[in-house]
């Protein structure tokens, strides 16, 4: 529903849950699931691996602060490394809206060129 711009395909989440299986089949409800699962496993492994590696240094003397900092650093590094895979996942999940998005972006591009905002 996020990929819908002006031309609405679905009126609500419940409308989408009813319409997608009718028009595209039940498997369409799982578009983008494999990339999502593929990104979850390396993300968790990377985050816990970095966290374990950081806790071995124990630079900070306050355990709660050290745990918080190590978790924050590990999560940030894992997200930065896996961001390209997350982008691919998101694009695969909204793949069904090409015609709606292409028409809208063309319209916006034409309007931007006319207004000189492009």
């Amino acid at each position: 529903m996020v990929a819908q711009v002006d031309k609405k395909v679905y009126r609500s989440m419940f409308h989408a849950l009813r319409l997608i299986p009718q028009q595209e089949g039940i498997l369409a409800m799982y578009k983008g699931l494999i990339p999502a699962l593929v990104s979850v496993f390396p993300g968790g492994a990377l985050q816990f691996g970095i966290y374990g590696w950081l806790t071995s240094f124990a630079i900070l003397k306050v355990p709660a602060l050290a745990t918080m900092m190590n978790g924050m650093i590990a999560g940030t590094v894992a997200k930065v490394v896996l961001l390209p895979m997350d982008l691919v996942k998101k694009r695969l999940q909204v793949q069904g809206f090409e015609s709606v998005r292409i028409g809208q972006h063309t319209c916006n591009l034409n309007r931007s060129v006319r207004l000189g905002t492009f």
Side-chain angles (χ1 to χ4, degrees), residues 81-94:
V81 169
L82 295 172
L83 185 67
M85 205 158 53
D86 196 43
L87 176 66
V88 170
K89 177 192 81 163
K90 296 283 192 273
R91 290 202 176 168
L92 286 172
Q93 286 175 330
V94 295

Side-chain angles (χ1 to χ4, degrees), residues 35-97:
L37 293 176
V38 167
S39 70
V40 166
F41 294 119
L46 188 61
Q47 186 168 351
F48 283 114
I50 292 170
Y51 179 80
W53 181 71
L54 288 171
T55 55
S56 67
F57 291 114
I59 296 171
L60 299 172
K61 301 296 181 203
V62 181
L65 184 61
T67 301
M68 185 179 71
M69 291 299 294
N70 291 341
M72 184 177 67
I73 293 168
T76 302
V77 171
K79 278 298 180 187
V80 167
V81 169
L82 295 172
L83 185 67
M85 205 158 53
D86 196 43
L87 176 66
V88 170
K89 177 192 81 163
K90 296 283 192 273
R91 290 202 176 168
L92 286 172
Q93 286 175 330
V94 295
Q95 208 172 38
F97 292 101

